[in-house]
Amino acid sequence: MDFQKVWQVPTTEKDMELLKDVKEKFRLNNLNSEFWAYRPRKFYRCYADKYRHYAINYNGKIFKCTAEDYGEDKVIGNLLADGKVNWNEELISSFFFLFHI
């Protein structure tokens, strides 16, 4: 999980405490988490464009990039109530098609 700041919303001390608590729960369950930190020499165009990284929006729609609009044509999956994901496999597979011979 890579927590990213919504820059248009001010961060409070309470927010930082909540983030600290959540990150500790991740750690206790042997899960990795990051937060909004500048990482030099990481040549990715987006937080979620790495393999097995996704941007999950507040409404459960899943995207591969946070730098584009959140249009329906870019939804690669939907987070279901049971925690499973309904993937748009056709769209995802198109990301791996580099050229046609």
Side-chain angles (χ1 to χ4, degrees), residues 45 54-55 61-65 68-78 86-98:
R45 114 189 138 129
Y54 309 101
K61 292 182 180 181
I62 302 172
F63 300 88
K64 255 332 247 177
C65 185
E68 296 185 25
D69 67 70
Y70 289 101
E72 288 297 317
D73 61 325
K74 296 179 180 75
V75 176
I76 64 167
N78 289 289
N86 181 20
W87 294 109
N88 180 341
E89 294 177 11
E90 183 176 338
L91 181 57
I92 294 170
S93 66
S94 72
F95 295 154
F96 297 100
F97 180 76
L98 299 176

Side-chain angles (χ1 to χ4, degrees), residues 75-86:
V75 176
I76 64 167
N78 289 289
L79 185 61
L80 304 176
D82 63 1
K84 295 180 182 175
V85 176
N86 181 20

Side-chain angles (χ1 to χ4, degrees), residues 21-34:
D21 292 345
V22 169
K23 286 182 62 55
E24 179 63 11
K25 288 179 184 176
F26 271 73
R27 189 190 66 75
L28 292 172
N29 287 284
N30 296 316
L31 298 169
N32 293 326
S33 69
E34 297 287 335

Side-chain angles (χ1 to χ4, degrees), residues 49-64:
D49 71 352
K50 294 173 266 182
Y51 190 68
R52 295 187 189 238
H53 286 204
Y54 309 101
I56 302 173
N57 208 3
Y58 70 93
N59 58 4
K61 292 182 180 181
I62 302 172
F63 300 88
K64 255 332 247 177

